[in-house]
Amino acid sequence: MAALARKATLILLSLMILAFGALLAACEAEETPTSEVPAERQELRIRTPGEPTTLDPQIAAFASDINIIKQLFRGLLWYDQNLGIVPAAAKETPSKENGGISEDGLTYTFRLRDDLVWSDGEPLTASDFEYSLKRLFDPEVGAHGYYYGFYINIVGSEAYAAGEGSAEEVAVTAIDDTTLEIKLTRVQPTLLQLLALWPAFPVRQDVVEEHGDAWTEAGNLIGNGPFVLKEWVHDDHITLEANANYWGDDKPTLQRIVFRMIPDESVALIAYQNNELDMTAIPLPDTGRFEGNPESLKYAELATVALGFNNTREPFTDPLVRKAFRMAVDSQAYVDSVRQGSGLPAFSWIPPGMPGYNPDIGTDYPFDPEGAKGLLAQAGYPDGEGLPDITITIGDTQASRLTAQFLQEQLRTNLGVNIDIEVLESATYQDRYLASEFQFTLVGWRADYADPENWLPQLFGTDAGLNQYKYSNPAVDDLFAQAAVELDNGKRLDLYDQAQEIIIDEDMGTAPLYYSIRNWLVKPWVAGIITTGLDSSPGDWFYTNVRILAH
Amino acid sequence: MIVYATRRLLGMIPVLFFIAVVTFALMHAVPGGPWDREKRLPPQALANVEAKYGLDKPVFAPSWRVWEQEFWRELPDTQFVNYITDAIRGDLGVSYRQLNRPVADILLEGIRISATLGLMALVVSTVVGMAFGILSALRQNSWLDYACVAFATLGASVPNFVLGLLLMVLFTVHLHWLPSSGWTNPTTFFFLSIPSNWKQLVMPLIALSAFPTAYIMRVVRASLLEVLHQDYVRTARAKGLAEHVVVMRHMLRNAFIPVLTVLGPVAAFLVTGSFIIEYLFAIPGIGRQFVYSISARDYGVIMGATLFYAVVVAAANLIVDLTYVVVDPRIRY
Amino acid sequence: MEEPGEITAERIAEVAVGDGLPPHRSLWTDAARRFTRNRIAVVSLILVLGLVGLAVLAPVVQRHDYRVQDLAHTSEGPSGTYWFGTDQLGRDQWSRVVNGARISLSVGIVSQLITAVIGVVIGALAGLTRWMDNLLMRFTDIAYSFPDLLMMILLLAAFGSGLILFGSVPVTMILAISLVWWPTIARLVRGQILSLQQRDFTLAAKAMGASQWRIVWTHLLPNTFGPVIVTATFGIPRAIFAESALSFIGLGIPPPNPSWGTLANDGFRFISAAPHLVLTSALAIAVTMMSFTFIGDGLRDAFDPRAR
């Protein structure tokens, strides 16, 4: 009887092993022949991680939401594939030469195109833009979002957002149907870039007023972009259809875009392999498997991950300690072995591809365990003696756990310093992080727009809103103040460069670890993807250029 | 029995109230709030949004002086009181995660879907579990018995996220038989929600039923074995009754009682949805919503879902207790 | 003069006075005897003891320190140096599984111990007086109706999952699991006590003047231990499972400590790229689960007074 039992278990075990073997053996990628002929069904299927928080441009904050919003609306300006500014709803980009920008740089005048219409055929005028931009500062609407602060130099905006002013006092005025005037309290060299972003997209006043919070539902939402919101089945998918009334020069070839909501990225990969999706991100564990795959799409993401020190807590008050920590970490090994090649080791904060990138910054502190130990000794902690307990506090994502464990081991073997890892539930972590209640953590940043202004002042200015690492250096603050009003772009970039040099080379206020890259798979029948560093999802500034080939 | 049932139903009300209090307190005691996401809201913005949703009011009780003075004139304006008064009127508030979408909508949609999947899984696990259980009990200690037990326990021994992904790799990636995920274009059939593509049901059903099937199988087997040795079974056999009559008429009815005990919690567990299954298979059920809402500190959904869960558990237990009366004539209330 | 087998008055008296039942044995020796006759249960017990042994001897049995990251050999399959292969960070999977046994088994066993104690105490108290019963059962009902997951998540969010004692006992994780599951045992114990209170031996004890307290403590409680032990034994693998589910949500044991749940969670996305990671951790959980299940079955059969 016992023998029979053993037999049965053996049979079952071997079945299990066979099943696994079958999984390992089979091949996955199938080559589907594609021609250059456009397909009958021009439909692009993409994954979005979940239900959008909102599709309201003045409130939206998450990349996945913005991905969709960018198809439904067009603002005054847009980006080209090199991240230069081109006109969209405006006839031309304002400049000093064409009178769009006043001499003192405080007044911007936009001349709109004559053919602007909403997707239902109603004309789109400058007063729509006036309404939308003012809405951005409405204490009930945009002013509880994240991005209105970008535009706070518009006269009257700050007071309105604080609840002290009124919409009338905000200096965004529709002079006539095709002319919009914006006045600033002080010069802002990056305003044009910012006006190409989603918080400046126009929305329909009567629709918003009629439907209130439900105005973004399918059937209610009216936009002026190349696509309309055809269907929104909550928690399942969103369907966009080409806008028959689209006025732009870049009319879409696609008839439909479907955003399927799939929370798990490994499942998304499986859906892609089953031809349920046309594009998907390659999850980190599968990076090696798809290396060299003809469907792979890799490009720089304009994002950096770094070691975040709380500069006001021991031992990170001492720049020598911070530098020692950086030098003890082998970011090349991290990228090559742990991330299987996905990414680039980082030494400067601003990544390559961004204006203001300087490859020399941070290179004085390469991976050098001996040098690191030396610096630590210099700081007064020979062999790590005398160091207080160090804890790295992270949120509960897979990526953070991985990086934190890597760092812990690097510091232990290369520097002889033992740190603890504290994993907090995500909302708890956010809470602690935002209050700067941490000693050591992981930080990251991704570009909102292509300018060092987005990477430095709000993150490293003394008491700046996003400066949770409590970094403070008056010399840097000074450079920021100068750059904020410097209209000469070359000089401005130079000022930011000097600032970055101080932040990293002198102070190591934060220690960059790696630059992330996008690693995606795209089906061979998807043509015309144009990627930029500011994508929320690859190619999403230019879905109008995408076409599906017959397959 | 009607009296008993009514008494139990009424007894649920104070339980629900107490659960509401505890959940509310815990929710607000835990650090973090609905607006603490990646970037910090400027203080003015935070103040604006809290005012909009009433989050700046005191949680339970206003300051003592106000309490003493005005309690008899009107209910205190606190978050908890407002929640209860609104809830009684049917207004469960709005979600913060899916901005401004009514909580009741979110719950209803999620409950429909989880209930559908859960009920199907309940049927599958009960049928399959009982079949295997009966089979292995009747052929006790044979290789068939061991095989059934081993197979069922094996299926339930692998964490269900592993099982789920395994199924997907096998059936979707390699065989291309089943779609990976989703619950597309569901039709509402009475209270249930059925996706238009039935193939989307298969893998979640298997993954969800694995554990309950094994559990039920073992309970059935154990209780049948107990019954098998009873005198009355021996008597029935001695009388010359056919085996299947013995099994069906005499053994099963008695063996079913312990199974009922288990069915209650199993049903409650299935109907309230499994976060892991719903997350992996992109099924918008209440299990998933619940966990999302906890991370997002989406207070309205947390409260609604918790109360729903409590009602389901209480109802399941009540139904089980009432069914005892039908099955076991010795029990009277 | 007596002959062997001869029917004498003494022998008749001897037989008549006895009760005709098999010689008296205590519940425990009886149960132990029956248990040892169940082959599968015994094999499972040996397996479990083996696993516990591995866990205890982990620092000796592991071939490399579970924290050391061999970055030149990440995500590699089993080999001579690394019996179970390596994980994403180049750590020895064999070593992580063996050390993971410590945490997972302690979560399983300790949490059930605590659950059993709390449940028994509350169930016993409920059996003492009517109003105590009402009060405690209301309380138990409330705890029972509370969503498990919510409770665990909130507890872990409030206190963090970080506190680890004695190198491998994750305190908050264990408390989170036990504080949520005690109602089942409480109800079980209370149910048993209530039904046993109707039995002859209880009524006899009452008639002899024993206090309610003494009745519960000496007579009723010991009879509940059987079902409690069985439930707790089944609860051990459930607790290990719960730990892996919590890991999936992100509330598991803090890194770099391995537990089977963490390993399953770290490895399951590598199911196509590096299946050995999932295979090893899932196998460990499965074997433990099956073993405890068979042990539980065996215990239940052993404690069943009607089985012969």
Side-chain angles (χ1 to χ4, degrees):
Chain A
M1 188 165 52
L4 283 170
R6 252 182 280 129
K7 235 193 247 177
T9 338
L10 262 171
I11 294 175
L12 283 159
L13 244 127
S14 25
L15 279 173
M16 216 171 72
I17 295 174
L18 270 172
F20 268 111
L23 297 176
L24 298 175
C27 61
E28 285 142 5
E30 299 157 9
E31 274 302 314
T32 336
T34 51
S35 54
E36 279 301 310
V37 177
E40 274 292 317
R41 268 177 63 140
Q42 290 289 326
E43 182 180 271
L44 182 67
R45 299 159 306 170
I46 306 177
R47 168 225 179 196
T48 186
E51 184 71 358
T53 306
T54 178
L55 288 185
D56 185 327
Q58 272 84 45
I59 306 180
F62 294 102
S64 44
D65 303 351
I66 293 167
N67 182 194
I68 302 173
I69 290 173
K70 286 196 292 212
Q71 318 311 320
L72 298 171
F73 303 92
R74 278 284 185 273
L76 295 163
L77 305 167
W78 201 247
Y79 284 103
D80 69 19
Q81 51 190 84
N82 300 312
L83 295 181
I85 298 296
V86 293
K91 244 193 217 152
E92 55 188 358
T93 314
S95 65
K96 287 231 174 97
E97 289 71 37
N98 63 23
I101 307 183
S102 63
E103 270 311 305
D104 58 2
L106 295 177
T107 309
Y108 285 70
T109 313
F110 289 87
R111 275 179 275 276
L112 306 182
R113 293 166 64 126
D114 310 308
D115 56 352
L116 296 177
V117 281
W118 293 97
S119 58
D120 62 354
E122 289 293 313
L124 171 68
T125 63
S127 33
D128 289 310
F129 278 101
E130 179 184 338
Y131 168 71
S132 312
L133 282 170
K134 285 190 177 172
R135 188 168 180 264
L136 187 56
F137 307 107
D138 185 338
E140 302 268 306
V141 184
H144 69 246
Y146 295 87
Y147 288 103
Y148 76 92
F150 282 174
Y151 311 85
I152 214 78
N153 284 325
I154 297 180
V155 173
S157 61
E158 200 159 0
Y160 182 33
E164 283 146 21
S166 71
E168 285 71 46
E169 291 161 28
V170 177
V172 177
T173 330
I175 310 272
D176 57 47
D177 275 353
T178 54
T179 316
L180 185 75
E181 187 187 75
I182 302 179
K183 286 201 198 313
L184 304 177
T185 54
R186 53 154 232 239
V187 169
Q188 183 165 3
T190 53
L191 185 69
L192 292 179
Q193 289 194 52
L194 294 172
L195 288 174
L197 297 178
W198 57 93
F201 288 171
V203 298
R204 269 279 286 271
Q205 182 170 6
D206 55 332
V207 168
V208 173
E209 285 172 355
E210 185 190 332
H211 297 284
D213 290 329
W215 80 268
T216 53
E217 295 290 330
N220 295 345
L221 188 148
I222 307 265
N224 68 330
F227 294 93
V228 291
L229 182 62
K230 180 74 181 4
E231 185 183 43
W232 181 352
V233 177
H234 287 284
D235 279 312
D236 191 72
H237 68 277
I238 287 183
T239 311
L240 305 185
E241 247 182 27
N243 178 0
N245 290 326
Y246 183 50
W247 44 270
D249 302 320
D250 55 335
K251 304 246 188 308
T253 318
L254 288 173
Q255 289 155 3
R256 219 170 5 256
I257 306 179
V258 179
F259 291 91
R260 279 198 55 193
M261 299 182 197
I262 301 179
D264 190 275
E265 55 169 14
S266 303
V267 173
L269 179 62
I270 289 173
Y272 174 87
Q273 290 176 296
N274 194 34
N275 287 334
E276 295 169 40
L277 294 175
D278 295 312
M279 321 174 37
T280 192
I282 302 178
L284 191 59
D286 299 290
T287 312
R289 278 206 302 153
F290 291 98
E291 195 58 47
N293 188 304
E295 293 172 13
S296 114
L297 171 68
K298 272 197 202 181
Y299 65 101
E301 197 185 336
L302 293 191
T304 308
V305 172
L307 279 56
F309 308 110
N310 185 334
N311 289 281
T312 54
R313 283 224 196 156
E314 300 281 332
F316 299 114
T317 44
D318 187 342
L320 287 172
V321 174
R322 305 195 290 260
K323 289 171 184 174
F325 268 50
R326 177 63 186 92
M327 292 176 76
V329 174
D330 186 357
S331 49
Q332 185 74 53
Y334 186 60
V335 164
D336 290 339
S337 309
V338 179
R339 295 189 63 83
Q340 301 176 56
S342 170
L344 289 168
F347 295 96
S348 73
W349 173 242
I350 296 182
M354 273 285 301
Y357 168 61
N358 184 338
D360 294 324
I361 292 190
T363 49
D364 289 337
Y365 307 99
F367 172 55
D368 179 7
E370 288 313 311
K373 289 193 190 131
L375 284 181
L376 201 59
Q378 227 184 308
Y381 306 106
D383 290 324
E385 264 172 54
L387 275 174
D389 291 332
I390 300 179
T391 308
I392 182 168
T393 309
I394 56 173
D396 62 13
T397 63
Q398 277 292 91
S400 307
R401 280 165 189 265
L402 191 65
T403 313
Q405 289 179 84
F406 170 76
L407 288 176
Q408 185 188 44
E409 189 57 15
Q410 289 279 297
L411 291 168
R412 191 177 76 93
T413 40
N414 297 332
L415 200 56
V417 174
N418 285 312
I419 67 172
D420 291 318
I421 301 180
E422 181 188 17
V423 180
L424 295 177
E425 186 258 342
S426 58
T428 313
Y429 171 71
Q430 282 309 317
D431 194 59
R432 292 263 300 268
Y433 176 72
L434 293 173
S436 294
E437 279 168 27
F438 61 89
Q439 189 185 19
F440 184 25
T441 185
L442 293 173
V443 295
W445 186 253
R446 207 217 266 159
D448 292 311
Y449 57 100
D451 196 283
E453 185 188 76
N454 182 233
W455 282 76
L456 297 175
Q458 34 178 347
L459 295 165
F460 295 101
T462 306
D463 292 332
L466 294 171
N467 186 354
Q468 270 77 39
Y469 2 88
K470 300 252 173 258
Y471 173 80
S472 176
N473 187 326
V476 167
D477 293 333
D478 196 53
L479 287 166
F480 286 159
Q482 288 179 48
V485 295
E486 177 58 65
L487 280 178
D488 180 322
N489 213 38
K491 284 210 201 113
R492 208 167 59 85
L493 289 179
D494 187 59
L495 287 166
Y496 280 127
D497 192 55
Q498 291 176 45
Q500 205 198 168
E501 211 176 327
I502 301 179
I503 295 170
I504 304 292
D505 284 328
E506 273 182 38
D507 296 334
M508 195 64 77
T510 185
L513 182 63
Y514 71 94
Y515 308 122
S516 68
I517 62 168
R518 285 204 194 269
N519 198 5
W520 278 58
L521 289 171
V522 181
K523 291 286 181 194
W525 53 78
V526 178
I529 297 275
I530 298 177
T531 60
T532 70
L534 290 186
D535 292 342
S536 316
S537 182
D540 72 345
W541 288 94
F542 301 104
Y543 283 158
T544 47
N545 195 52
V546 172
R547 58 195 191 286
I548 308 288
L549 304 172
H551 60 276
Chain B
M1 187 165 95
I2 308 265
V3 176
Y4 176 73
T6 330
R7 212 162 24 100
R8 284 280 290 267
L9 279 171
L10 285 177
M12 265 166 50
I13 299 181
V15 170
L16 285 177
F17 183 77
F18 194 73
I19 290 184
V21 171
V22 172
T23 311
F24 214 83
L26 275 174
M27 262 176 11
H28 286 273
V30 168
W35 315 106
D36 287 334
R37 299 203 193 121
E38 283 158 25
K39 304 180 187 176
R40 179 163 66 183
L41 274 183
Q44 186 54 47
L46 190 60
N48 291 339
V49 83
E50 290 199 336
K52 176 170 179 181
Y53 294 104
L55 291 173
D56 52 348
K57 299 193 184 138
V59 179
F60 276 109
S63 70
W64 281 106
R65 256 184 287 145
V66 177
W67 176 274
E68 283 168 351
Q69 285 170 359
E70 301 193 352
F71 179 47
W72 56 85
R73 223 171 286 151
E74 60 178 32
L75 290 172
D77 182 24
T78 66
Q79 294 189 46
F80 183 69
V81 173
N82 291 339
Y83 179 79
I84 296 290
T85 45
D86 288 339
I88 293 178
R89 261 177 280 151
D91 174 14
L92 292 172
V94 294
S95 164
Y96 308 138
R97 192 176 67 86
Q98 298 180 36
L99 212 51
N100 299 323
R101 190 166 167 222
V103 168
D105 284 357
I106 297 177
L107 290 181
L108 198 61
E109 176 191 289
I111 291 170
R112 275 213 180 103
I113 293 174
S114 294
T116 310
L117 194 59
L119 285 172
M120 284 189 203
L122 187 63
V123 168
V124 166
S125 357
T126 312
V127 167
V128 175
M130 286 195 73
F132 274 156
I134 294 173
L135 208 62
S136 63
L138 291 181
R139 299 271 175 277
Q140 190 187 6
N141 294 334
S142 69
W143 71 266
L144 183 64
D145 180 18
Y146 286 139
C148 281
V149 172
F151 182 68
T153 323
L154 201 69
S157 303
V158 175
N160 54 357
F161 52 90
V162 175
L163 184 61
L165 207 61
L166 203 61
L167 288 170
M168 270 196 237
V169 172
L170 184 60
F171 289 110
T172 307
V173 177
H174 289 265
L175 295 173
H176 294 291
W177 284 352
L178 299 170
S180 67
S181 54
W183 192 270
T184 330
N185 292 327
T187 37
T188 321
F189 184 70
F190 294 109
F191 188 66
L192 304 177
S193 157
I194 320 248
S196 56
N197 184 356
W198 64 268
K199 291 187 187 168
Q200 285 176 326
L201 287 171
V202 178
M203 288 190 294
L205 203 56
I206 299 177
L208 198 55
S209 314
F211 195 87
T213 305
Y215 195 44
I216 290 179
M217 193 215 77
R218 281 200 357 257
V219 171
V220 168
R221 178 180 177 277
S223 79
L224 256 186
L225 284 178
E226 209 178 281
V227 165
L228 259 177
H229 297 300
Q230 297 280 10
D231 288 343
Y232 65 86
V233 173
R234 233 186 299 156
T235 315
R237 285 218 181 98
K239 286 203 298 189
L241 288 173
E243 185 67 20
H244 70 271
V245 173
V246 174
V247 169
M248 296 304 283
R249 205 181 307 158
H250 295 280
M251 287 176 24
L252 277 186
R253 278 191 68 182
N254 288 299
F256 200 60
I257 299 175
V259 178
L260 265 185
T261 324
V262 195
L263 273 187
V266 168
F269 158 74
L270 287 175
V271 161
T272 45
S274 155
F275 165 72
I276 291 178
I277 304 288
E278 291 175 8
Y279 168 80
L280 275 182
F281 290 98
I283 296 174
I286 193 72
R288 190 178 85 172
Q289 291 287 16
F290 193 29
V291 175
Y292 281 174
S293 66
I294 298 175
S295 308
R297 304 288 193 266
D298 198 354
Y299 299 140
V301 178
I302 297 178
M303 288 299 294
T306 307
L307 292 174
F308 164 68
Y309 184 93
V311 167
V312 167
V313 168
N317 282 330
L318 180 59
I319 293 179
V320 167
D321 285 348
L322 290 178
T323 334
Y324 273 156
V325 177
V326 172
V327 178
D328 185 347
R330 290 175 295 177
I331 298 176
R332 276 277 168 271
Y333 292 121
Chain C
M1 183 55 174
E2 274 177 50
E3 303 271 300
E6 196 180 295
I7 300 177
T8 63
E10 289 92 336
R11 289 207 63 213
I12 291 175
E14 196 185 89
V15 173
V17 162
D19 52 17
L21 293 169
H24 171 75
R25 276 191 290 267
S26 84
L27 175 65
W28 303 94
T29 35
D30 208 22
R33 233 177 41 104
R34 271 204 291 276
F35 185 83
T36 44
R37 274 194 284 168
N38 184 337
R39 296 229 195 124
I40 283 253
V42 171
V43 166
S44 304
L45 186 61
I46 295 177
L47 253 173
V48 164
L49 289 174
L51 281 170
V52 171
L54 263 181
V56 167
L57 292 173
V60 173
V61 179
Q62 73 181 9
R63 301 177 75 228
H64 307 89
D65 186 325
Y66 70 85
R67 289 173 304 167
V68 169
Q69 299 170 7
D70 181 358
L71 292 174
H73 298 279
T74 54
S75 299
E76 282 185 0
S79 66
T81 354
Y82 297 115
W83 289 349
F84 277 3
T86 59
D87 72 356
Q88 200 179 7
L89 285 166
R91 294 178 295 199
D92 180 14
Q93 183 74 353
W94 162 250
S95 166
R96 286 182 69 77
V97 169
V98 152
N99 281 283
R102 290 189 151 189
I103 293 193
S104 293
L105 287 174
S106 64
V107 166
I109 296 174
V110 175
S111 70
Q112 292 312 296
L113 270 172
I114 298 180
T115 311
V117 166
I118 300 179
V120 163
V121 165
I122 298 213
L125 286 177
L128 278 181
T129 61
R130 194 82 205 233
W131 70 263
M132 266 238 132
D133 180 35
N134 274 327
L135 178 70
L136 285 171
M137 281 306 114
R138 286 308 120 242
F139 181 53
T140 311
D141 277 345
I142 291 175
Y144 197 65
S145 309
F146 217 90
D148 297 356
L149 208 54
L150 173 67
M151 200 51 168
M152 289 188 201
I153 293 179
L154 288 175
L155 278 174
L156 288 169
F159 298 110
S161 50
L163 183 56
I164 298 203
L165 291 178
F166 311 123
S168 58
V169 179
V171 174
T172 34
M173 172 70 65
I174 289 176
L175 280 179
I177 293 180
S178 357
L179 287 178
V180 169
W181 282 353
W182 63 263
T184 320
I185 296 207
R187 286 172 123 222
L188 182 70
V189 169
R190 175 228 181 217
Q192 278 281 83
I193 289 186
L194 283 185
S195 80
L196 287 175
Q197 276 181 341
Q198 305 304 322
R199 297 274 279 272
D200 291 343
F201 69 90
T202 323
L203 296 172
K206 259 203 207 132
M208 292 205 300
S211 73
Q212 181 68 0
W213 166 251
R214 189 180 155 74
I215 292 178
V216 169
W217 184 251
T218 329
H219 296 284
L220 299 180
L221 258 194
N223 283 312
T224 66
F225 287 162
V228 168
I229 292 181
V230 171
T231 313
T233 311
F234 285 133
I236 293 178
R238 275 185 69 202
I240 297 183
F241 243 46
E243 192 260 312
S244 81
L246 286 170
S247 285
F248 186 77
I249 301 183
L251 294 167
I253 308 292
N257 301 294
S259 74
W260 291 341
T262 317
L263 292 180
N265 194 39
D266 285 343
F268 96 108
R269 288 173 199 286
F270 283 85
I271 209 165
S272 300
H276 64 277
L277 293 174
V278 163
L279 202 66
T280 47
S281 49
L283 203 66
I285 297 178
V287 166
T288 311
M289 194 128 185
M290 285 177 66
S291 305
F292 274 108
T293 307
F294 287 134
I295 294 177
D297 274 340
L299 282 175
R300 189 194 41 230
D301 291 340
F303 279 119
D304 182 359
R306 278 170 295 175
R308 280 280 161 259

